[in-house]
Amino acid sequence: MSAVPLPKQTAVPPERGRVISDCRDFTIRRLRDSLRGMLEKIEEDLVARAEAELDRDQRNLYMFTCGKARQQWAGIEQTFIDHLTRYFDARVRGEPVESSRSAVPTSLDELSLVGEDDLTQDLAVHELTRKLKEHCDEELFGVEQRLGSLLGKTDPTDQDNPLGTEGVAKALRAACEEVDASVQMRLVLLQSLESQISRELSKLYQDLNVRLQRQNVLPGLRRGFRRNVGARAGVVGATHGQGIGAASDQAGMASGGFAPSVGGQGGFPAIGGVQDAGFTASMPGFGMSSVNGGFAEQAAFGAAAEADGDIYAMLSQLVQGQMAAQGIALPPIGAAGASPAGLASPFVFEALSALQSDADLSVPAASSYNLGIPPNLLRSFRTSELGRHLGQFDAITVDIVAMLFDLIFDDADIADPIKALVGRLQIPLVKVAMLDRSFFSSKAHPARRLLDLISNSMMRWGRDVGHEDPLYIKLAEIVDRILRDFDRDLSLFEACSDDLRAFVIELEADETQRAEAAALIASAREQERLRREDARRAADDEIDDRLRKPLPGVVQSLLDGVWRRLLRKHVDTGPDAAVDYQQALATIDELIWSVQAKADADERRALVVALPGLLRRLNQGFDLAGAHPADKLMLLNGLFDLHAQWIKPGAATAAPAVEQWVPEAYSANDDVPAPEVVSERVEQDGLELNDISLNLPSPLDIQEQDRVFELKRGDWIEFRQADGSFVRMRLNWVSPQRGIYLFTNPGSTRATSIAPDALALQLANGEARVVNNEPMFDRAVSQALGQQRVR
């Protein structure tokens, strides 16, 4: 379908027009498909109602309505789609909706002007609109707000919504009026249609919301969205807190998405092409290094975790249960908080410090690369003479940390060299836990921050860690520093975090520059794709405009199949094919003229003169479009028969039989291929960009699209290579136009630009996989608490 034509005075950017057009096409396609499968259900409904009805007249009404619906269903379908499309276009353009009688009279004077049948149908449509709103209220709210934002509405309502329930109800009424029957039959059919379409409408609105979220239209919208966002509300929000809706709006703006602004301005970010070489400096996502990814929210996260319960108390209960199962006696621990942290025996603390010093002197951390998974030192400590006689607090704390390290060592997502490095921190971390047990629950704890930073930093490697990698060497230095210097001062972990963060930022400065260069390339290619899509829509409009005229079936088939492909091929070629494109349009106009009735001998002579050149250009078009020889022969034979009736002696003057074109009815000679991932390698300025797109003949609807939509800058994906191996890359930029995703890797000059649907298809086919980026300590705690819940 074509893009929605928006007049200049609406000042809606083309990017928003494309999103609006996509919503219309998606909705029309879904409802058309639903209607095609709805007749059988309506027949079953009407027959069931007839069988349950005791009154003979009412029973006959149901059965006659069923018969009428079956006879005229094609017209009902088309009228519904046509009316809904006109309603949509009028709402989008801001034009008055065509006169409708479905407004309920508000005065006796108005009532006197309305016929009884019209009033009955008006009331039925009014009730239908109300029921549909109630049934789809939650989903409808999101669609209403998102489309309203796209259209620049400050306080959108269902009447402003081009896909709202009012338009659906009016389209249903218009469809029922196609039935050549009494008003009673129409009302029965309307009632049956309502019960069927309300189920589809709810699911449709859900899918529209997801579709709009994927295109960054109010991605943070919640039901708390304030409809009256006037200037006064803006002042109140600025001084007294802006509430749930405002916070969601601000989150949407911060992420580069669509968001309504206080005061009713559009609130959309500037969406356009590449402006200059420095445009990426202000774009979100650049400078995204391994050290980012959530630290701004650590304090809030810690508070939330502690509010949910004392993690230490829950872990201690789990450890006690394990000890009881093994027959190890231990007095029950008191309620949460009854045993304050810091009660570790000084003698135990000194013994642990001695073990830490021995570990420091035994082998440098950098040399642990080939040592494999380290032993659990804390388990060994607990079996020692001192470990067997620990006090309650000491014993439980050591066992908790030992259990968490068991889980870290068993984690298949952590490379063995990283396990070896982190394993050397067992003794310092058990000392940390004895000093401050908020270590288990607060992500803002200095030691937790360092562990999370190590986890984020190691994401670049996967399971292939190079012992000569500068980052690995730096991590080893930090581990050695902690083993050497840590006693009781937790600020050492803060200093190590700052040191590592600064190192990673400097190390990844080159990646930021490569990401900016890759974004420029990807954005330019995206602009070219958008140009081709716009040109294709214009070409489709040219074909559709001609197909809306009644034409012989063979001409419809030729235009809808071969010639549509030919025009698309010309626009894909670019400006160099502009003359060929215009020539192709002139050819089909001449073809349409050639099959129309010829009133006199002069017109027939003109046809005889024109036919050789016309047939030659048609043949050339068939060849350029790649038409199958059998299809070509069939079409030319059909055209020969049409032309013959005008040029044969004594030919009839009657016009040939014509058919009404049904949009989206695929012609027999127009094969629809399956979605295909297309990869193109681009090398420019020392950067290798793998540009991945999707040839998509029909909308993609797979579960993985939701997973792609959930991706955030800084997330990691592994892409399968030709040899079966996987390469890990980080999401570094998302284009504001279409959601093109740009992935880079700090240790490589390669970048990958991929369309969201292509990435979803690769995830579904196993050609790509999302990497679990939850920090290793968080995963261990979650697994441990999961074990407790199972118990």
Side-chain angles (χ1 to χ4, degrees), residues 137-443:
D137 178 64
E138 192 66 31
E139 300 84 1
L140 180 62
F141 171 76
V143 174
E144 177 184 299
Q145 297 299 324
R146 291 185 169 97
L147 285 178
S149 294
L150 288 170
L151 294 170
K153 302 290 185 181
T154 58
D155 188 17
T157 65
D158 187 52
Q159 285 71 33
D160 298 318
N161 183 0
L163 295 176
T165 54
E166 178 188 83
V168 174
K170 289 182 176 181
L172 287 174
R173 172 180 177 168
C176 291
E177 288 177 345
E178 280 295 301
V179 178
D180 183 18
S182 64
V183 66
Q184 288 83 3
M185 283 191 186
R186 294 176 183 172
L187 292 176
V188 167
L189 180 58
L190 185 65
Q191 184 181 34
S192 188
L193 277 167
E194 179 266 325
S195 65
Q196 298 298 325
I197 207 163
S198 62
R199 305 184 188 112
E200 170 59 24
L201 208 57
S202 178
K203 181 64 169 62
L204 171 65
Y205 287 149
Q206 288 179 19
D207 293 345
L208 272 173
N209 278 311
V210 171
R211 200 174 187 90
L212 287 165
Q213 285 175 320
R214 287 185 185 134
Q215 300 186 66
N216 253 12
V217 184
L218 296 183
L221 179 67
R222 295 292 182 271
R223 189 54 164 154
F225 186 98
R226 295 173 302 161
R227 296 186 178 227
N228 298 320
V229 244
R232 184 170 178 270
V235 174
V236 173
T239 55
H240 298 291
Q242 294 176 324
I244 296 173
S248 298
D249 298 344
Q250 291 174 355
M253 290 294 288
S255 64
F258 299 104
S261 62
V262 175
Q265 300 303 316
F268 295 87
I271 299 178
V274 180
Q275 300 298 323
D276 55 65
F279 87 106
T280 55
S282 62
M283 298 178 69
F286 291 107
M288 171 64 68
S289 68
S290 298
V291 303
N292 295 323
F295 288 113
E297 300 177 358
Q298 287 167 342
F301 182 94
E306 292 172 346
D308 289 340
D310 189 338
I311 301 298
Y312 176 85
M314 291 187 281
L315 292 173
S316 67
Q317 292 173 10
L318 174 60
V319 167
Q320 289 181 82
Q322 293 174 343
M323 296 176 70
Q326 298 172 17
I328 302 174
L330 185 73
I333 194 168
S339 298
L343 293 185
S345 164
F347 178 74
V348 172
F349 213 84
E350 290 177 5
L352 290 171
S353 295
L355 287 175
Q356 176 180 321
S357 297
D358 291 342
D360 175 35
L361 296 173
S362 61
V363 57
S367 301
S368 62
Y369 177 82
N370 294 317
L371 296 182
I373 300 176
N376 194 318
L377 299 177
L378 299 178
R379 296 292 186 199
S380 300
F381 173 71
R382 282 286 279 125
T383 60
S384 68
E385 183 66 21
L386 176 60
R388 289 196 301 270
H389 295 87
L390 293 175
Q392 175 181 324
F393 172 78
D394 296 341
I396 290 178
T397 302
V398 171
D399 285 344
I400 289 174
V401 178
M403 173 185 64
L404 295 177
F405 269 100
D406 282 339
L407 293 170
I408 288 174
F409 293 155
D410 291 339
D411 193 332
D413 290 333
I414 303 175
D416 289 350
I418 300 301
K419 293 176 182 177
L421 272 182
V422 176
R424 293 173 62 80
L425 296 175
Q426 293 175 71
I427 302 300
L429 289 179
V430 80
K431 290 168 63 178
V432 166
M434 289 178 173
L435 290 168
D436 182 4
R437 67 184 188 190
S438 70
F439 164 72
F440 295 104
S441 58
S442 174
K443 287 178 68 68

Side-chain angles (χ1 to χ4, degrees), residues 721-743:
Q721 306 301 295
D723 60 0
S725 64
F726 282 86
V727 170
R728 182 170 292 193
M729 307 190 84
R730 177 170 53 204
L731 179 58
N732 227 323
W733 178 67
V734 179
S735 136
Q737 281 95 341
R738 279 267 309 278
I740 298 298
Y741 287 56
L742 179 69
F743 292 87

